[in-house]
Amino acid sequence: MTMSLDTPPSPEPAPAAQWTAFAGTRLLARGVPLEVALTVQATLQGDPGTSALTFDDQTGCLVDLDLRGSADDIAARLLPPPVSHAESMAADPQARSPGRPKLGVVAREVTLLPRHWDWLAAQPGGASVTLRKLVDTARAASTHQARIRQAQTSADRFMMAMAGNLPGYEDAARALYAGQRERFTELTQAWPTDLRDHSRRLAEPAFGPVPQPPDAAMPSQGQDPDRSSHC
């Protein structure tokens, strides 16, 4: 049995990019990519012997900065090109439509077993409302777990690059993946202040209120951890 289901699309905007730069273990800059790049350029120009590393906060990956040329040159490489009015109109058909915009419901075919339809029919609001609620609940739970995994990955990548040789790194990484906030805080306490604080900042979303499933925990020593250092 099939039915036509109206489901409102709810795309999530991509988070704004934020970078963080370090000169050794010292925090050099944090902010939007252009601001960080210009700060790094000015620092290197003032002291060519300085070594600076820049990281993407969302992924924890090193950023390959191209600092050649003037500030305008760097901005031209980092900032997206402006979108013309014609391109904006072409990308959004609703913007060309007269009157009120559409409400955003889309008809789809859903195939279920009879017992599923019987259960849906008994719910307040009918099948469409109930299915929308179920989808929204599942999406919220999935989004929460995705944020935890993203925080674990980005924090571990940063720590591997900047704190991999520091005492307690491996145990701190295990605490990160196990969701053990207090142990992670304890193990990172002796690290250089800026590295410690940034590691904790990246890791914070990983210590959410929802318990982690067993397969998300770090393996015990001797096992190959399922973690990605590749960007």
Side-chain angles (χ1 to χ4, degrees):
M1 183 181 292
T2 63
M3 71 171 287
S4 179
L5 174 66
D6 290 342
T7 55
S10 52
E12 296 185 1
Q18 178 163 289
W19 291 356
T20 301
F22 281 83
T25 61
R26 177 174 61 90
L27 177 65
L28 191 60
R30 176 186 295 132
V32 298
L34 179 58
E35 292 178 357
V36 173
L38 294 179
T39 300
V40 172
Q41 184 194 49
T43 300
L44 297 181
Q45 289 175 343
D47 184 3
T50 299
S51 176
L53 295 177
T54 303
F55 295 85
D56 184 322
D57 287 357
Q58 185 178 2
T59 64
C61 293
L62 271 169
V63 177
D64 186 11
L65 275 181
D66 185 352
L67 300 176
R68 295 172 300 170
S70 66
D72 289 340
D73 294 329
I74 296 176
R77 289 190 289 266
L78 291 179
L79 296 179
V83 178
S84 68
H85 179 69
E87 291 172 330
S88 176
M89 295 290 286
D92 184 8
Q94 291 186 6
R96 304 193 305 269
S97 302
R100 297 178 59 188
K102 294 181 180 179
L103 297 179
V105 292
V106 180
R108 291 288 186 268
E109 290 291 321
V110 177
T111 303
L112 299 174
L113 295 174
R115 66 175 182 271
H116 299 147
W117 291 115
D118 292 341
W119 181 85
L120 286 171
Q123 305 309 306
S128 293
V129 171
T130 302
L131 284 176
R132 281 199 292 268
K133 291 180 179 178
L134 289 173
V135 170
D136 286 343
T137 300
R139 287 181 69 247
S142 175
T143 299
H144 180 81
Q145 290 300 325
R147 288 173 179 167
I148 290 178
R149 289 192 297 270
Q150 179 67 43
Q152 290 170 337
T153 301
S154 60
D156 191 26
R157 283 173 176 163
F158 171 77
M159 294 191 305
M160 190 178 299
M162 296 295 288
N165 293 325
L166 294 178
Y169 158 69
E170 284 291 343
D171 288 336
R174 295 181 187 281
L176 168 68
Y177 281 91
Q180 300 170 344
R181 183 198 303 269
E182 292 184 2
R183 179 156 174 77
F184 180 83
T185 300
E186 175 187 353
L187 290 166
T188 57
Q189 183 60 36
W191 292 3
T193 302
D194 289 344
L195 291 184
R196 176 199 67 200
D197 291 349
H198 189 61
S199 297
R200 291 176 178 177
R201 177 174 170 272
L202 293 179
E204 179 60 29
F207 304 118
V210 177
Q212 303 247 6
D215 59 0
M218 283 287 291
S220 60
Q221 286 189 340
Q223 292 180 287
D224 185 21
D226 182 18
R227 47 205 263 225
S228 173
S229 61
H230 303 292
C231 296

